Amino acid sequence: MDVLIKGAKLIDGTGDSPSLNSFVLVRDKKIIDIGSQKKLPKHLEKFRVLDFPNGTILPGLIETHSHMHCTGNKESLERMLLDSEETLIMRSVKAMRESLLSGVTTMRDLGSRNRVAFSIKEAIVNGIIDGPRILVAGTPITTTAGHCYFFGTEANSQEEILHAVRRQVKLGADCIKIMSTGGNFTPRSNPRRAQFSLQLLQDAVDDAHRLEVPVASHCHGTEGIVNSVSAGVDNLIHCSWISSNPSEGYDYREDVVDEIADKGIFVDPTIALGHLRQIDDPEADVFQPGGVFYDLDARYEMLRDMWEKGVRFISGLDAGMYMGEFGTHYNSVLVMIEKMGVSPIDAIKCVTKNSAECLGILQETGTLEKGKSADLIVLSDDFEKNPDSLQKVDTVINKGEIVKENQIPLI
Ligand SMILES: [Zn+2]
């Protein structure tokens, strides 16, 4: 369908100031023109017009960190362990639709059980189900008893880790997810300590890069962050800077931050989950000394410092984990604005352009530019003045198809 979208403001995702009274022309799944309404081309009779005289046009959001078959509530681990593969697939189908209707037009799954994520991606590509553009890691690579071992890929030696990387690539992985430290989701896995030696991590990264596949590294503890940066991963996940010693709290390393910035490693701080969990359950273990969220204000300060040192941030909710409900990725943007003090325009750049660049798809999506995929959302209000309007995306266009219009789902 040919569509003309008009809006009071347009934020293109590049970090530039918004354009006023803009238009976007969509044809054959692509943006074919974009500009000021004063220079609107003539002969647009065949275009369906969507007019938002007070609204803001934005690129579709990118969620770089989901676990598509997880419930997003306190039962997340239990359900994942007990549910059948069929149930996991059905839950994923629901999550894809909810995400798309909330404005997420691209999603990277960073770890699901067995082959669930591959089949969901295939179903979306083949038009069997509705959903965002999907990139998948398959099963994360971890150690025996390590973080998310129940997803299916444990590796403890060089031979095993190379096999693990190659197997995920063979299955169709768009990236490799490696668990460099333990995590909260996995009892007894110890988020403070590195799971792999630097050498093993290096072997995995080198082999993934040989196959031209990027590596995203889960790391809470500083030990794991330091190893990941040395090994040359492309993307740090969480980056919580907790000390290996539980009584020491954080172990923030400014020298390593400089290296992260110099190497251009993208950081996904999964910033919303700590904030949301604190509201829901402030007495939980993660807020106690030695826990990954034990002092959130100090964490936001570290993230601000990383930002000022030039680290490039991307946006991941960790959807599927407790308090990471699908369809609520707006929290990642809002918490970044509120707690890190990032401007609304910069927060949008993180959730669009930066995330697309990290995923290697910037030539296709992530900004509103002529020739790119028509992935865009419209809010009925001025996003800069009212960022909360992102919670209720008015209209969603996914690869040129209107999937939600005036709050009404069309899928
Ligand atoms: Zn995760």
Side-chain angles (χ1 to χ4, degrees):
M1 187 194 294
D2 297 345
V3 190
L4 163 62
I5 307 115
K6 296 200 265 185
K9 251 187 191 182
L10 181 143
I11 297 171
D12 66 6
T14 63
D16 290 348
S17 304
S19 316
L20 302 180
N21 299 317
S22 296
F23 75 88
V24 180
L25 277 184
V26 172
R27 169 175 280 169
D28 296 333
K29 303 180 179 181
K30 299 252 190 244
I31 296 171
I32 58 164
D33 203 358
I34 187 164
S36 162
Q37 287 176 34
K38 285 181 195 153
K39 295 180 180 168
L40 196 64
K42 296 191 177 16
H43 308 300
L44 297 174
E45 297 79 15
K46 286 188 179 160
F47 282 74
R48 168 93 196 282
V49 181
L50 303 178
D51 195 0
F52 300 88
N54 303 309
T56 310
I57 306 171
L58 300 149
L61 307 181
I62 299 178
E63 153 66 307
T64 64
H65 187 162
S66 76
H67 303 280
M68 59 170 69
H69 59 46
C70 291
T71 58
N73 57 25
K74 269 189 172 159
E75 293 178 353
S76 193
L77 176 61
E78 195 184 347
R79 295 271 44 96
M80 203 283 307
L81 290 170
L82 299 176
D83 287 346
S84 67
E85 202 112 324
E86 290 81 357
T87 299
L88 296 184
I89 288 172
M90 286 189 277
R91 191 179 291 121
S92 303
V93 171
K94 181 167 172 272
M96 293 303 101
R97 180 175 179 274
E98 284 170 353
S99 299
L100 183 55
L101 291 174
S102 73
V104 171
T105 54
T106 300
M107 176 179 278
R108 176 175 67 172
D109 193 83
L110 273 187
S112 292
R113 206 170 84 192
N114 300 336
R115 298 184 60 173
V116 169
F118 294 109
S119 63
I120 292 293
K121 179 181 174 180
E122 212 172 290
I124 291 173
V125 169
N126 292 326
I128 298 168
I129 61 168
D130 291 300
R133 172 189 294 97
I134 293 286
L135 291 94
V136 298
T139 54
I141 298 172
T142 191
T143 50
T144 297
H147 184 40
C148 291
Y149 68 86
F150 31 72
F151 283 156
T153 301
E154 297 171 330
N156 302 284
S157 63
Q158 189 197 45
E159 192 184 337
E160 285 175 357
I161 211 162
L162 294 182
H163 180 250
V165 168
R166 292 168 191 176
R167 182 163 183 275
Q168 293 311 307
V169 174
K170 188 175 168 184
L171 287 170
D174 300 290
C175 71
I176 293 296
K177 169 86 177 286
I178 194 152
M179 302 303 202
S180 299
T181 68
N184 298 318
F185 193 53
T186 312
R188 305 187 61 188
S189 67
N190 196 353
R192 295 180 294 277
R193 300 297 306 273
Q195 295 200 143
F196 292 105
S197 67
L198 173 58
Q199 186 57 54
L200 275 189
L201 205 56
Q202 187 76 63
D203 290 336
V205 171
D206 288 350
D207 208 47
H209 285 171
R210 175 182 67 82
L211 296 166
E212 299 180 330
V213 177
V215 178
S217 172
H218 159 105
C219 41
H220 283 301
T222 302
E223 260 185 25
I225 299 171
V226 171
N227 280 353
S228 300
V229 173
S230 297
V233 305
D234 305 274
N235 181 192
L236 296 169
I237 312 292
H238 307 303
C239 205
S240 310
W241 299 108
I242 51 173
S243 169
S244 56
N245 181 346
S247 62
E248 275 177 11
Y250 291 116
D251 176 18
Y252 184 57
R253 290 271 305 273
E254 293 193 42
D255 57 324
V256 181
V257 174
D258 288 336
E259 206 179 334
I260 294 169
D262 288 347
K263 287 184 169 173
I265 300 172
F266 289 98
V267 173
D268 159 23
T270 56
I271 192 169
L273 279 199
H275 173 71
L276 297 169
R277 283 187 195 179
Q278 196 173 39
I279 294 168
D280 194 60
D281 186 6
E283 302 305 321
D285 284 353
V286 286
F287 300 107
Q288 307 307 320
V292 297
F293 300 136
Y294 95 101
D295 183 349
L296 281 183
D297 287 337
R299 171 158 162 73
Y300 299 137
E301 214 170 290
M302 292 184 288
L303 292 175
R304 269 197 295 274
D305 190 61
M306 290 170 73
W307 177 277
E308 279 159 20
K309 286 181 161 62
V311 171
R312 293 190 293 176
F313 282 81
I314 60 168
S315 194
L317 179 65
D318 214 348
M321 296 292 117
Y322 166 37
M323 294 309 285
E325 275 180 54
F326 285 89
T328 67
H329 188 35
Y330 54 79
N331 281 312
S332 309
V333 179
L334 299 181
V335 176
M336 202 169 192
I337 294 169
E338 192 186 326
K339 300 295 184 184
M340 266 178 77
V342 167
S343 76
I345 298 294
D346 280 339
I348 289 299
K349 185 184 173 190
C350 293
V351 74
T352 58
K353 182 176 187 256
N354 283 6
S355 292
E357 198 176 343
C358 173
L359 269 47
I361 52 171
L362 185 57
Q363 76 289 355
E364 187 185 341
T365 190
T367 57
L368 297 180
E369 289 175 79
K370 200 170 158 178
K372 286 202 173 181
S373 176
D375 304 325
L376 56 97
I377 60 176
V378 191
L379 313 179
S380 53
D381 205 353
D382 182 334
F383 174 69
E384 278 187 292
K385 288 187 186 143
N386 177 19
D388 284 342
S389 57
L390 197 62
Q391 293 184 30
K392 255 190 139 199
V393 172
D394 187 278
T395 294
V396 180
I397 299 182
N398 182 40
K399 295 197 191 79
E401 184 195 355
I402 305 170
V403 294
K404 183 184 186 186
E405 186 177 349
N406 298 327
Q407 301 291 350
I408 298 169
L410 303 176
I411 54 170

